[in-house]
Amino acid sequence: MVEMDSGEKRLNELGYKQELRREMTLFKTLAISFSTMTLFTGITPLYGSSLLYAGPASLVWGWVIVSFFTWFVGVAMAEICSSFPTTGSLYFWAAHLAGPVWGPFASWCCAWMEAIGLIAGIGTQAYAGSQVLQSIILLCTGTNKGGGYFAPRGVFLAMYICLTIIWAVLNTFALEVIAIIDIISIWWQVIGGAVIVIMLPLVSLTTKPASYVFTHFETAPDSTGITSKAYAVVLSILVSQYSLYGYDAAAHLTEETKGADRNGPIAILSSIGIISVFGWAYILALTFSIQDFNYLYDAGNETAGAFVPAQILYDAFHGRYNNSAGAIVLLFIIWGSFFFGGLSITTSAARVVYALSRDKGIPFSSIWRKIHPKHKVPANAVWLCAAICILLGLPILKVNVVFTAITSICTVGWVGGYAVPIFARMVMAEKRFKPGPFYLGRARRPVCLVAFLWICYTCSVFLLPTLYPIKWDTFNYAPVALGICLTLVMLWWVIDARKWFKGPVRNIDVQDGKV
């Protein structure tokens, strides 16, 4: 008789039957988790604005500070994941940790924040991936100065939609392919990241001195409208806070991972460790390779002032070799990272929507919880996420601050979802907690407290205005969008959902023929 997998055994104890294929190894789970965080996708799109706010020193040391606090969040989540290896992950954790009285409400809040954050996360990858593709096309066709093609809004939106649809198709019909792609992804980013980190400073004709990179502080009130140095520093660290999350992807795949009660926590912590080191190295490589700081933001430069990392790469390779071929190759490596990241986030988002609809927490749940009969994936949930993501991108045609809004919605929703189970774990009675192989013991309260406070700070700063004076084209719409979404969700809870939503619904009894 084949011994039952430890993750499946714990899943059964929690009241769920094994429905998804449990084929993921630790390495595959780590690959998907790492792909969701990704080396390039967080840093690249926000690098230029963060550098502008307060100069290189704030950006460089901000990554170190954020990495430090991220470990507290990761360790707290790893302990919970070890005890609750389920696809519902965060909202399942919230329900069980908050107890029978507050569990349904905690689960409701966590599930919706996570769903909103993950779906917006697909949009951030599609938008920034389209930005990189826009820069690649521009450099391939002759640069901005040489009459190159700079994709207009309509074409940019088409790229955004195409990426979203490709990810949905792969998530519907090719789970085995995704697992292979994610193995490729981790090597793509490790090897590609190493190539960029090593090659870029070597190719650059000149490099900035260490004193500039590590100690130079300079605000740009003429460009940002921000005169407060403290405020400028807070905004300059946003790039790090946006980059260092997503490690919960390993938790979403625990029902498909072998030995998930052990391998889930290992994948979470390994992802944080890898991205902390490689991310800092990537930031240093870009910053050391800056040729002319002010020229990076000039709308008349070779990349139309639209994408600072692309201009840094162009300056390095054109300065050395008098052509942009090297810059295009490295931009393609970066674009691949966005492709892998979007694919992984689509996987995670669909799993959360599937798990929530399995517990009847989404309108028309019977549709979204259906599993594809052949491929055994939540196909309808995948396409629901893709459709909402496309709707989020439609304002690209008219509005300039779409990426700021989508990024803020993604971060506040996604990271805010972490706060609910961590807070519940911090205040619950220890005797009610059944620890898994990874257990903090007495350290759990201080670790959870630091993690919770850090998450609250992170969510707060992403709702701040990022440019002054505040006008229609500089206003951060995230508080309004999030306010509307969360108000509707809370109203639904008060008026109706609290009467019937009880959090995760046991389904193993159904398998045994009992009601």
Side-chain angles (χ1 to χ4, degrees), residues 36-37 87-91 110-126 167 245-252 341-354 385-386 388-389 392 406-407 409-418 482:
T36 303
M37 295 182 73
T87 286
S89 57
L90 300 182
Y91 95 101
C110 186
W112 275 100
M113 287 190 73
E114 190 180 11
I116 290 168
L118 279 166
I119 293 170
I122 303 170
T124 63
Q125 302 300 297
W167 294 331
Y245 65 89
Y247 35 87
D248 60 305
H252 302 311
L343 186 63
S344 294
I345 293 175
T346 303
T347 304
S348 295
R351 294 319 186 268
V352 170
V353 170
Y354 159 73
C385 294
I388 296 172
C389 176
L392 280 174
I406 295 178
T407 300
I409 293 167
C410 171
T411 307
V412 174
W414 200 337
V415 179
Y418 296 178
L482 273 170

Side-chain angles (χ1 to χ4, degrees), residues 314-331:
Y314 176 85
D315 288 343
F317 281 91
H318 190 269
R320 174 74 65 180
Y321 303 111
N322 204 33
N323 66 66
S324 56
I328 293 168
V329 170
L330 295 193
L331 280 172

Side-chain angles (χ1 to χ4, degrees), residues 43-127:
I43 297 169
T44 308
L46 291 179
Y47 176 85
S49 59
S50 294
L51 181 66
L52 184 63
Y53 285 125
S58 181
L59 173 61
V60 167
W61 293 114
W63 183 269
V64 177
I65 293 168
V66 174
S67 297
F68 173 77
F69 285 106
T70 298
W71 275 104
F72 284 89
V73 182
V75 168
M77 289 177 61
E79 184 200 38
I80 302 171
C81 179
S82 184
S83 179
F84 299 104
T86 68
T87 286
S89 57
L90 300 182
Y91 95 101
F92 185 99
W93 302 348
H96 283 262
L97 295 170
V101 177
W102 289 101
F105 180 65
S107 178
W108 180 263
C109 294
C110 186
W112 275 100
M113 287 190 73
E114 190 180 11
I116 290 168
L118 279 166
I119 293 170
I122 303 170
T124 63
Q125 302 300 297
Y127 190 101

